[in-house]
Amino acid sequence: MTYQPAFPAALQPAALTLLEAMAASELAPPHQGFQVSVQGELLSAPARLYCSPGDLRALIEQATGDRRTLALCLGTRHWNGYVREECLRRFIATDCSWTAPFVVQLLGEYVIEIVELIAATAPQATLQNLAAFARENPKFMALTRQRATSYWDCYFRRHFRSLQTYPAITTLNAIDAWAQAA
């Protein structure tokens, strides 16, 4: 299915401009990714972006404030795992509610370096945003947990002998604990 962008009202104009700029160097059009609620508003992200890494980096560097953070969040949907990790590193400590779905989505993906980065660097402020997001999106959290479990079982079982020691699961457990405590 073709991607239908939707972002909270305050971000929608910037998101559409960024996505249009990325489309100029796209190798393939994006497909529909995840849809979640952020403080009662729909956020729909692409499954993957197939734009040039150089063009994406240029867009990020030209942007400022929330627009830059949004460009970095969209960068976590890039086809290249190194680009996804680079973008995540630059916004993971950002205290914005709408960054949470981009972080959580990565916990359900297969790049262990990204999962370990999230597990190691999710600061308390970010954890609070992640917990609020979890309370609002229980089905998305359950799906992310299922994906993380599947990747652990297929690829990481030998390195992490117990599912409960797999960084994606420990982070999801921490998010759930914060969500229940609030």
Side-chain angles (χ1 to χ4, degrees), residues 24-37:
S25 69
E26 269 183 345
L27 304 173
H31 295 285
Q32 188 64 47
F34 61 86
Q35 290 187 341
V36 294
S37 180

Side-chain angles (χ1 to χ4, degrees), residues 11-135:
L11 298 173
Q12 185 76 4
L16 294 178
T17 302
L18 285 168
L19 289 166
E20 186 177 303
M22 289 175 192
S25 69
E26 269 183 345
L27 304 173
H31 295 285
Q32 188 64 47
F34 61 86
Q35 290 187 341
V36 294
S37 180
V38 176
Q39 296 181 331
E41 295 187 85
L42 179 65
L43 187 148
S44 174
R48 287 283 181 249
L49 290 174
Y50 297 96
C51 63
S52 153
D55 289 352
L56 175 61
R57 287 182 181 105
L59 280 171
I60 291 167
E61 294 313 314
Q62 292 168 4
T64 59
D66 283 350
R67 186 180 165 110
R68 176 176 279 183
T69 303
L70 181 57
L72 290 166
C73 287
L74 289 169
T76 67
R77 308 312 315 133
H78 197 269
W79 61 270
N80 183 313
Y82 293 108
V83 172
R84 291 196 302 274
E85 182 179 0
E86 174 187 333
C87 289
L88 176 65
R89 281 185 187 283
R90 294 180 61 187
F91 82 85
I92 191 157
T94 303
D95 191 17
C96 294
S97 60
W98 48 266
T99 63
F102 294 96
V103 174
V104 171
Q105 172 67 24
L106 292 168
L107 289 170
E109 294 186 6
Y110 57 88
V111 180
I112 190 65
E113 293 83 1
I114 293 174
V115 170
E116 290 175 332
L117 172 64
I118 295 168
T121 61
Q124 205 168 44
T126 301
L127 202 53
Q128 290 172 342
N129 284 330
L130 294 170
F133 173 78
R135 285 190 299 277

